[in-house]
Amino acid sequence: MMGRTHALTGWCAGLAVAPFAGVTTLAQALVFAATTAGFALLPDLDHPGARASKLLGPLTGGLSWLLRKASAWLYAVTKGPRDERGKGTHRHLSHTLLFAVALGFATSAGTEAGGPWAVAGVVLFGLLLAEDALGDWLLPVSGGAVVWWVYENNPNALAELDAVTGLLGVAVALGCFTHCLGDALTESGCPFLFPLPIAGETWYELRPPSWLRFRTGKGFENGFVFPAFAVLAVLLIPGVWTAMVGFVQDILGGTAVEADS
């Protein structure tokens, strides 16, 4: 799946899950979704050419190198008798549910220890990742949401940020897991249930029947998947669906009144 589609599905997942995670305001929902969108790109840090690997130059490039080395080592010591003969770098360690949960817990622990500035760092990194994939429009939207959030909670904005440390862990884990689900729909599949052995493979690539799979960056993804999630990305913003329903009802109500008269 292309980076922009990963980010967009992460945005939608963030908006859908935000109410269940305890997010109560529109500004918080937008920040939560932007973070999820960004971290929906992070698993591809295991590829040197990915957006996540190139984002901050040598810094993210070095992290990509370390992740590939760790993934290759883990693959070598855990692969089953029927696993593929390969290096075990791309679509391995970082493309697992275990990785998503571990990074989510690490984010929660790190932001709790580091306080509001650590929270701001995680949000900013996620926002930069998402903006790199989806475009510059996301900066004023999410930046405005942050300013709105600060304004709503002034003078306790930093304390409010400090109170969402657990939420960021959920956003990070959700973003990574959404990435895995997206890759599982492609031809290559995704081994996100590692280390659960399936059919003699520790790194079994889960994927749907062949007629439900699509090729990354080809016609179905570009012509249907991305546009569909682009529409959903707007409809899931808190208040948009209610406003649209109310608008349609007003039009239908007005039409009915005219017909009666």
Side-chain angles (χ1 to χ4, degrees), residues 36-84:
T36 305
F39 280 89
L41 293 162
L42 192 72
D44 276 345
L45 192 67
D46 64 2
H47 191 292
R51 292 178 180 274
S53 302
K54 295 179 176 181
L55 182 67
L56 299 178
L59 177 59
T60 48
L63 291 174
S64 174
W65 181 85
L66 287 173
L67 180 58
R68 294 196 305 274
K69 290 295 183 181
S71 183
W73 172 83
L74 184 63
Y75 183 72
V77 300
T78 61
K79 63 181 178 180
R82 298 186 61 185
D83 277 309
E84 299 174 355

Side-chain angles (χ1 to χ4, degrees), residues 50-259:
R51 292 178 180 274
S53 302
K54 295 179 176 181
L55 182 67
L56 299 178
L59 177 59
T60 48
L63 291 174
S64 174
W65 181 85
L66 287 173
L67 180 58
R68 294 196 305 274
K69 290 295 183 181
S71 183
W73 172 83
L74 184 63
Y75 183 72
V77 300
T78 61
K79 63 181 178 180
R82 298 186 61 185
D83 277 309
E84 299 174 355
R85 299 174 64 183
K87 295 181 179 180
T89 51
H90 183 47
R91 283 200 182 184
H92 283 81
L93 173 58
S94 61
H95 287 68
T96 65
L97 178 60
L98 181 65
F99 178 86
V101 172
L103 190 62
F105 274 112
T107 300
S108 293
T111 51
E112 184 175 352
W117 297 111
V119 172
V122 172
V123 171
L124 178 60
F125 183 64
L127 178 57
L128 289 175
L129 280 168
E131 183 271 338
D132 187 51
L134 293 177
D136 293 338
W137 66 269
L138 192 61
L139 283 176
V141 170
S142 299
V146 172
V147 172
W148 185 5
W149 188 350
V150 171
Y151 174 78
E152 284 181 331
N153 295 281
N154 188 48
N156 298 312
L158 289 181
E160 179 70 12
L161 277 177
D162 198 27
V164 299
T165 54
L167 291 181
L168 281 188
V170 174
V172 168
L174 178 62
C176 293
F177 182 60
T178 303
H179 180 109
C180 293
L181 289 179
D183 278 352
L185 295 175
T186 65
E187 293 288 345
S188 299
C190 184
F192 65 83
L193 288 184
F194 167 86
L196 181 66
I198 302 174
E201 295 183 39
T202 310
W203 299 85
Y204 184 83
E205 291 90 355
L206 291 171
R207 50 195 156 196
S210 58
W211 61 276
L212 285 175
R213 304 175 204 159
F214 59 87
R215 296 186 64 186
T216 299
K218 300 301 180 181
F220 184 73
E221 179 179 350
N222 293 328
F224 177 76
V225 177
F226 186 83
F229 276 98
V231 173
L232 191 61
V234 176
L235 294 179
L236 284 173
I237 295 174
V240 170
W241 178 255
T242 303
M244 289 185 63
V245 171
F247 179 71
V248 171
Q249 289 176 339
D250 288 343
I251 292 178
L252 294 178
T255 303
V257 170
E258 290 179 3

